[in-house]
Amino acid sequence: MTAAADVPAPVPARAGAAAGSGGVDWAQVALNAYIVVFMLYLFLPLALMALAAFNANDTPSVTDWRGFTLDWFTGRTDEAGEVVVRGLPQETRFLEGLMRSVGIALGVIALAIPLGLAAALVLSRLGAASGSFLYTLLVSPILTPGIVLGVSTMTLWRDAFGVEAGPLTVVVAHSSFIASYCMLMFMARLQRLDPALEEAALDLGASNLFAFRRVTLPFLWPTIATASVVAFLQSFENYNTTFFAIGSSFTLVTEIGSRMRFGLSPTINAIGVLFIVLTVAAAAVWVLLRRRQG
Amino acid sequence: MAELVRAYGRGLAAVFAGLTAVWLVLMVALPMANMTKRAFTLEIRDGPSAQMRVELERARQQIAVIDFDIAAAETEIARGSAPAAAPSPSDPFAGLTGRASPGMAAPSPGGGGAEPPEARIERLRAERAEAVAAIPAMAAEVERLRAGEDARAGLSVENFTTMSPLHWRVFGLTFLYCVAVTTIALVVCYPVAYAVAQAQGTGRAGLLLLGLVVPYAINELLRIFAWTMILANNGILNGALDALGVIDLEGGETIRWLASNGSVFAVMVYAYVLFMVFPIYNAIETLERAQIEAARDLGASVWRIHRRVVIPHAKPGIAVGCIMTFMLSAGSISVPGLVGPGLHPDWFSQIIYRNFFEAANWNVGSARALMLLILSTAFIIGVMRAFGVGVKEIAK
């Protein structure tokens, strides 16, 4: 984490700047200094959170250091088997919430990808007037405040279908706006699809379904993959919509939220460390893959 | 439509149109329509159906308590019924049973001692069956009473007009707060977006972008948690001030950072900063670098270059960033709820929360949510007009 904070070293002075003033480009220096401060603002809280996960203090802190410990990850039991320190293995609700969050996110992928793809295909073949109206309607969930999405989905499903708030309503509420993101990604991709390809397939006697499966879908696969990742992350980390649509059930994120109401526990820091490690690992893999391609 | 059928054939076109319709109707239009309907419907709160509902709730609780007692008795049997050795676990629950159901004969205060657990289970099972049998009739009665009340409750604007002056104030303040968060985020993010766009083409840009994205792949709640940990009364900030000798923690001197608007702003900007950086970055990135250099060569100051060249070009990006940040902060319950609990006055999202989950008045809650939606939509339309951008640009 701290290594990443060092990233913004000075941007190389541009040829134009050097030619113009000849001296030190103070604006550039100020900008670089600002970027360093900004990166500290981004990463310092996360670094402190990670550090506090290894502090034996039972309120998360780095200033009041009481020794290094892994107890918040592993928990600790005494000889009699009584739990002394509640770590991640004892906090089973976090694991349960995690499983539910993953289940919900997979449900969102299953729902939002087909919806977004279908809408993108419909929009790509609509005339300008009706198309732009439909487009505005379908983009609107992105611009709707999260709690409004949660509230409106929860009340509709109870009023109209008698379904109480729970994981199912969360999947629907998430999909309503995540499908919009997917749709936008598919539209961007479809713009680059040469319509002649589909037409050629049809002219050569392929059925519509065959042409779609063999021409359009393969072209869209990379976007389906990216959109799935985006959908998963969006759903997984969402709090504001989930909070209103989850009812008496809970996900990892709402569980962390309700714990925070009753005081802070270093086990949440431990979860934070796991998230950071996962994210940094994923980022590293991504960078390596790009290096290899580039 | 004809285009779609021509391109994909009737079957596939029907599937695509059908899926789009399901999304549009079931997940976008109907929820909004239903929420609006609730917002304009006056709910009769303390009518007979509400009282009946309380009875029903009490009966359900009673069953839960009986289940608890049965389980306690069963463990007692499993332990070889030694009530003298271990304090009878049923005691506290027996007291609870009496409280939860005043009409029911409370079990003898002696609990397990007076009555053998087998007999007690027998009796509890009978009570449970009786209580369970009574529930459908009560539920039906609630429905019947409620239908009668619904028929009487017509369309009304009372959910809006009866809002207290305090809540109106919160509504206005929330707007100001969200504008403040948006403004701060814009000022903070513009230089960053500019710097990243300038570094474009060098390896550094990729790293900078990665540095921006990584914190965002980490959960929103964990980002907020990191800040509450810093700002808590016995948190890192106060600890650092203590170490510097500014305050004396041991002596009970703390600075209350949490539950202040400054903290909520700082954390909110932190939470949603990426939504401001990326649109502006995308816009500036398309600016020819030669334009900036030309302006500089012609002797324009840094300030003037930004005012006359960069900012006009970045306008759509700035608009989108402001729209997203405003919408996210208006619709955030996480930051005001977790960083600012006990903050007075609340944010409007907390009022919506309370109407749904504490006052259990969904219609008033719907009215408040609708107001928030209108506020946010009005802001979005205003910004789009002011910056002259359309919905198409937002989608980028």
Side-chain angles (χ1 to χ4, degrees), chain A:
Chain A
M1 285 287 79
T2 42
D6 298 331
V7 162
V11 175
R14 290 180 307 284
S21 57
V24 183
D25 188 348
W26 288 110
Q28 196 64 47
V29 172
L31 188 58
N32 288 337
Y34 180 76
I35 298 293
V36 172
V37 172
F38 182 80
M39 287 290 165
L40 281 177
Y41 172 62
L42 280 193
F43 282 97
L44 204 56
L46 298 176
L48 292 173
M49 173 172 74
L51 197 57
F54 301 99
N55 186 355
N57 191 341
D58 60 3
T59 48
S61 172
V62 293
T63 44
D64 186 4
W65 192 262
R66 302 199 182 152
F68 178 88
T69 180
L70 287 175
D71 284 354
W72 308 118
F73 293 88
T74 58
R76 176 181 294 177
T77 47
D78 62 15
E79 302 84 57
E82 294 285 321
V83 176
V84 185
V85 177
R86 288 176 67 81
L88 288 181
Q90 284 78 34
E91 302 279 10
T92 49
R93 275 175 73 93
F94 284 132
L95 186 65
E96 195 189 334
L98 174 72
M99 303 310 275
R100 198 167 291 130
S101 289
V102 169
I104 288 171
L106 293 178
V108 169
I109 292 178
L111 188 56
I113 298 281
L115 293 179
L117 178 57
L121 288 166
V122 169
L123 280 175
S124 70
R125 302 283 173 171
L126 272 189
S130 51
S132 89
F133 179 65
L134 183 62
Y135 174 85
T136 308
L137 285 179
L138 291 178
V139 167
S140 70
I142 294 185
L143 301 172
T144 306
I147 62 175
V148 176
L149 289 174
V151 160
S152 59
T153 306
M154 169 186 83
T155 47
L156 175 76
W157 282 73
R158 176 152 135 181
D159 291 351
F161 312 113
V163 177
E164 290 293 331
L168 179 72
T169 49
V170 174
V171 169
V172 176
H174 283 182
S175 300
S176 68
F177 77 96
I178 292 177
S180 305
Y181 282 110
C182 296
M183 179 187 85
L184 294 174
M185 295 166 79
F186 286 125
M187 285 178 76
R189 180 77 179 167
L190 281 172
Q191 274 182 352
R192 288 192 285 149
L193 173 64
D194 186 353
L197 284 177
E198 287 171 337
E199 276 160 30
L202 294 179
D203 287 347
L204 292 171
S207 71
N208 291 109
L209 190 62
F210 189 83
F212 180 72
R213 265 187 28 223
R214 300 300 289 270
V215 178
T216 319
L217 262 191
F219 179 77
L220 291 171
W221 266 122
T223 313
I224 292 178
T226 333
S228 300
V229 172
V230 169
F232 187 93
L233 288 178
Q234 285 258 6
S235 164
F236 191 81
E237 85 145 8
N238 182 288
Y239 180 75
N240 297 313
T241 303
T242 316
F243 184 58
F244 278 86
I246 192 73
S248 54
S249 184
F250 62 93
T251 67
L252 177 65
V253 179
T254 60
E255 178 63 15
I256 293 177
S258 48
R259 287 301 172 86
M260 284 170 69
R261 285 166 196 279
F262 303 111
L264 308 178
S265 154
T267 41
I268 302 180
N269 293 65
I271 295 177
V273 170
L274 297 182
F275 267 83
I276 290 171
V277 168
L278 269 179
T279 309
V280 171
V285 168
W286 184 79
V287 167
L288 285 180
L289 282 180
R290 258 180 50 127
R291 284 258 166 87
R292 194 174 295 173
Q293 280 170 6

Side-chain angles (χ1 to χ4, degrees), chain B residues 242-376:
Chain B
D242 178 57
L244 291 173
V246 180
I247 56 171
D248 178 19
L249 268 186
E250 299 288 298
E253 240 185 311
T254 56
I255 301 179
R256 194 157 171 266
W257 300 102
L258 287 180
S260 73
N261 272 322
S263 298
V264 176
F265 287 180
V267 179
M268 218 175 241
V269 169
Y270 185 78
Y272 303 128
V273 98
L274 195 73
F275 294 91
M276 186 64 100
V277 171
F278 266 89
I280 303 180
Y281 161 75
N282 282 334
I284 300 183
E285 195 202 28
T286 60
L287 176 66
E288 284 276 346
R289 207 150 336 146
Q291 285 198 33
I292 299 173
E293 274 155 33
R296 200 192 319 258
D297 291 346
L298 292 171
S301 66
V302 172
W303 170 243
R304 208 176 154 81
I305 291 173
H306 280 276
R307 207 165 47 97
R308 300 294 295 272
V309 181
V310 185
I311 292 181
H313 188 84
K315 239 170 136 185
I318 292 174
V320 175
C322 289
I323 286 172
M324 292 307 286
T325 312
F326 183 92
M327 185 277 291
L328 287 168
S329 26
S332 170
I333 184 81
S334 53
V335 182
L338 297 173
V339 176
L343 179 70
H344 288 285
D346 287 323
W347 285 52
F348 205 63
S349 53
Q350 289 167 283
I351 290 179
I352 296 176
Y353 166 77
R354 279 209 293 275
N355 271 305
F356 272 95
F357 297 112
E358 282 169 23
N361 195 336
W362 284 23
N363 287 12
V364 174
S366 297
R368 302 291 173 269
L370 187 63
M371 289 175 69
L372 189 75
L373 179 64
I374 291 170
L375 179 77
S376 147

